Amino acid sequence: MRWSELYVPTLRQDPAGADAVSHRLLLRAGYIRQLMAGHYSLLPLAVRVRAKIIEVIREEMSRIGAQEFLLPTMQPAEVWQKSGRWDKIGAEMFRLTDRKGVDVAMGMTHEEIFTTIAQELRSYRDLPQRWYQFQTKFRDEPRPKSGLIRVREFTMKDSYSFDVDGTGLDRSFDLHHEAYTRIFARLGIPAIPVEASSGIMGGSDSIEFMCPTAAGEDIVVHCACGYAANVEKATSHLPQVADGDGLSAPEAFDTPAVRTIEDLVTGFGVTADRQVKTLVYVVDDQLTLVLMRGDHALVEQKLIDTLAAVNVRPAHPEEIREALGALPGSLGGVGVTGLPILADLALRGRRDMTTGANRDGVHLRGVDVDRDIAVSRWADLREVVAGEPCARCEQPLDVLRTVEIGHIFKLGGRYTETLGVTVLGADGERVNPVMGCYGIGVERALAAIVETHHDDKGIVWPVTVAPFDVAIAVLGNADDVVSAAESLYAGLRGQRMDVLLDDRAERPGVKFSDIELIGVPYRITVAARGLAEGTVEFTDRATGHTERIPLSGAVAHVTAAVRATE
């Protein structure tokens, strides 16, 4: 490609409002332009990178025997209603009604649609099947941000496995895990596999692949022993607490100015770890008390997963007062009946605790949680923080900010059962195949590569996904310079290299800056001074190293460098 014919609208200054590194650089380097919040146009350079990412994924999916499909992105409500997810998924799903009054959805995922295709499977001999596609997804994100990292329209590689039993599902799951590990290694993304929540997808085992970045919104807890989990799933080892005998019954005391955990610490000397914090949520229209230790934070996703809830929100003050007779700051579970009470495991067996009395400005001391509170259900609900002991080895845990780049799930029979997919088993009985699903966000992977590979000059693409393998900077318009550059261009293209010939009438500094900004891995500089000695300059973008090489051997030199890093 000749730069004079290429559309690359680079910017000299950082664009306003671009917070993430990838957002800033992809805008500056002319890869993307925003149409509206959460929707981006991919310009020619981005299309080239995206195609190479897709090809890497396609190769690895073929390696595990997966077959490529392309299913509609507009989907009938009927199939979602059959699976039960039409009402379980909230505002994240784009929905519309066609001219005949039929409800349809813009697909945010394709479990139901692939399962519908699977209704034509007949026998266990047809299994296993591993199917995938690259398709546009739509998700009405409430807060699109960070460029391509959190958007409302994106390309996903989503794949689905169908097996006759759990052993087969384990095999398909492991094959995808291995394929994802290879994919992210080839893309140059430092992916960390972590235990995760299955969320709206359902099923059992769930593993996310996370890329560390300051732009990420997902918190990962990990340990040197190998344990790693999303904070929505993470656990840690909590040392046993030695409580006193406490009181024979809770004792009320006035706390007129107390509104927070810290108020009780500073005003009455009750440390946070000896307080029972009472949160009130509305869970699928049911007012629910959630009890936490005062120094622990609730992870809402753990609450959602524990209760298999669809709609969860904090209760409004008026709802709380009507149910409990007090406002937040004086709430507790002692004496509460008729409402579900969910308590974090860290409170189990605790004595001599302090909590609100459900009277404004009054608390109770000497609370024995097991004795005095009618807990409906115990669960791990708390957020793990850095420094807590690992649940496996008890060494201090670290916490990383990350972005999810891939997710694999074991769905089991959830969709095949609800949508009526059966096959004839080896024993002659009909069985529901078990499923797995596996996703990679293509544009998010593109952004993650930039988050990982950049410097103060711009993007530093790995050769595997770079829009061009090498750029030829032509300095000047002397006949011998132009002729040498054209000869190199033709020779490299003959070696199936992706070559960008910078034939613009620009100063050398502009050419060098632009080539560095867009991230081409290698640069050949053709100038009169070097040609007088029969040489050209060869520069490695990643290391910044420049060397003079013979013009006659330049094609072979560049080809060898590119092939060595593919």
Side-chain angles (χ1 to χ4, degrees):
M1 191 76 194
R2 297 175 185 275
W3 200 309
S4 60
E5 300 172 352
L6 183 64
Y7 184 66
V8 188
T10 58
L11 305 174
R12 294 304 167 208
Q13 302 296 325
D14 287 342
D19 51 352
V21 169
S22 59
H23 189 193
R24 173 171 54 83
L25 288 176
L26 289 170
L27 284 169
R28 273 198 63 201
Y31 281 78
I32 62 173
R33 288 294 182 264
Q34 182 174 331
L35 177 63
M36 58 182 177
H39 298 264
Y40 284 84
S41 299
L42 301 187
L43 306 188
L45 290 181
V47 169
R48 295 178 73 94
V49 174
R50 176 181 176 275
K52 291 188 176 183
I53 292 172
I54 286 175
E55 190 54 34
V56 168
I57 298 171
R58 180 176 282 124
E59 288 174 4
E60 294 297 341
M61 296 308 296
S62 295
R63 186 171 170 181
I64 64 171
Q67 305 162 73
E68 186 168 355
F69 286 59
L70 185 60
L71 275 56
T73 192
M74 186 175 289
Q75 305 169 6
E78 180 185 5
V79 70
W80 286 81
Q81 290 161 348
K82 285 182 180 178
S83 74
R85 290 207 297 174
W86 182 259
D87 296 320
K88 287 186 177 181
I89 295 177
E92 292 80 13
M93 180 185 282
F94 282 102
R95 307 167 197 246
L96 55 92
T97 304
D98 69 13
R99 67 176 64 195
K100 296 180 181 179
V102 177
D103 290 330
V104 296
M106 302 299 289
M108 57 190 297
T109 184
H110 275 71
E111 282 76 18
E112 285 82 356
I113 315 306
F114 269 95
T115 305
T116 300
I117 297 290
Q119 289 173 345
E120 295 190 47
L121 295 171
R122 293 289 177 257
S123 165
Y124 72 95
R125 293 187 179 91
D126 296 334
L127 303 176
Q129 291 288 332
R130 301 181 189 107
W131 300 343
Y132 76 101
Q133 66 173 347
F134 295 96
Q135 180 58 286
T136 303
K137 310 290 186 184
F138 297 89
R139 190 166 297 166
D140 194 357
E141 285 283 353
R143 301 180 311 278
K145 61 174 296 187
S146 302
L148 299 182
I149 290 178
R150 186 171 293 279
V151 293
R152 305 202 301 171
E153 178 181 353
F154 55 97
T155 308
M156 179 176 286
K157 186 289 300 176
D158 49 322
S159 55
Y160 304 85
S161 61
F162 296 85
D163 287 277
V164 73
D165 55 24
T167 301
L169 174 56
D170 290 345
R171 173 63 175 159
S172 290
F173 189 85
D174 290 344
L175 284 172
H176 277 84
H177 192 296
E178 294 163 6
Y180 276 34
T181 299
R182 292 191 298 269
I183 287 166
F184 296 128
R186 290 179 63 184
L187 297 181
I189 301 175
I192 304 171
V194 305
E195 297 175 13
S197 164
S198 294
I200 64 169
M201 309 300 288
S204 55
D205 292 359
S206 170
I207 292 178
E208 290 174 327
F209 291 81
M210 314 298 286
C211 173
T213 170
E217 294 186 335
D218 291 302
I219 304 300
V220 164
V221 176
H222 69 107
C223 179
C225 74
Y227 173 74
N230 190 303
V231 73
E232 296 175 348
K233 190 79 171 179
T235 62
S236 67
H237 173 76
L238 279 185
Q240 290 292 324
V241 178
D243 291 326
D245 293 334
L247 305 174
S248 59
E251 176 183 278
F253 64 105
D254 292 335
T255 53
V258 169
R259 295 292 179 271
T260 66
I261 298 294
E262 186 59 28
D263 289 343
L264 205 56
V265 174
T266 57
F268 295 85
V270 182
T271 58
D273 63 336
R274 302 209 66 80
Q275 299 182 44
V276 178
K277 176 167 54 179
T278 304
L279 308 173
V280 186
Y281 276 79
V282 178
V283 181
D284 292 336
D285 300 324
Q286 170 67 62
L287 206 71
T288 302
L289 270 61
V290 181
L291 308 184
M292 308 292 300
R293 207 170 82 179
D295 58 338
H296 291 163
L298 169 69
V299 176
E300 283 194 8
Q301 188 62 50
K302 289 187 175 183
L303 174 63
I304 292 168
D305 291 345
T306 297
L307 299 179
V310 177
N311 296 308
V312 172
R313 65 169 175 83
H316 301 310
E318 59 272 18
E319 294 173 311
I320 296 172
R321 182 178 284 285
E322 181 180 353
L324 299 176
L327 289 174
S330 300
L331 303 179
V334 176
V336 173
T337 59
L339 293 177
I341 300 177
L342 193 66
D344 183 67
L345 291 171
L347 290 173
R348 197 162 208 167
R350 294 300 304 276
R351 301 185 303 275
D352 200 21
M353 302 292 283
T354 298
T355 192
N358 290 327
R359 286 181 284 160
D360 288 334
V362 180
H363 277 70
L364 299 174
R365 61 167 64 98
V367 173
D368 183 317
V369 176
D370 290 351
R371 179 192 68 193
D372 300 323
I373 301 176
V375 175
S376 310
R377 186 168 180 178
W378 295 91
D380 171 34
L381 302 171
R382 67 184 180 86
E383 179 180 339
V384 173
V385 298
E388 289 183 358
C390 174
R392 292 181 183 174
C393 70
E394 299 191 18
Q395 293 302 305
L397 291 165
D398 288 326
V399 171
L400 280 175
R401 184 169 292 278
T402 64
V403 62
E404 177 192 329
I405 50 173
H407 205 155
I408 60 177
F409 305 82
K410 290 182 180 179
L411 300 176
R414 173 177 177 177
Y415 296 95
T416 53
E417 290 169 8
T418 56
L419 296 176
V421 177
T422 63
V423 298
L424 195 65
D427 59 359
E429 298 293 325
R430 300 205 70 81
V431 297
N432 299 107
V434 290
M435 290 177 61
C437 72
Y438 319 87
I440 294 176
V442 175
E443 289 84 19
R444 183 177 283 189
L446 187 155
I449 297 169
V450 178
E451 290 287 327
T452 305
H453 299 273
H454 67 273
D455 59 20
D456 58 355
K457 296 177 181 178
I459 303 168
V460 186
W461 292 112
V463 171
T464 310
V465 297
F468 297 97
D469 300 320
V470 58
I472 301 172
V474 186
L475 306 190
N477 56 6
D479 290 345
D480 59 338
V481 171
V482 173
S483 176
E486 291 286 355
S487 177
L488 286 172
Y489 180 57
L492 289 166
R493 292 185 68 192
Q495 293 297 315
R496 297 186 176 275
M497 297 285 106
D498 285 326
V499 191
L500 177 59
L501 179 66
D502 192 347
D503 57 346
R504 296 174 297 166
E506 292 283 1
R507 293 178 291 106
V510 171
K511 293 189 175 190
F512 294 161
S513 294
D514 281 346
I515 291 170
E516 289 170 337
L517 177 61
I518 69 172
V520 181
Y522 300 108
R523 184 184 79 222
I524 298 176
T525 303
V526 183
R529 179 179 299 179
L531 290 180
E533 300 173 358
T535 65
V536 292
E537 288 185 350
F538 177 72
T539 302
D540 185 322
R541 174 70 179 87
T543 65
H545 175 71
T546 296
E547 60 180 316
R548 291 185 177 277
I549 60 174
L551 174 62
S552 59
V555 170
H557 188 94
V558 174
T559 301
V562 170
R563 298 283 187 255
T565 54
E566 286 183 338

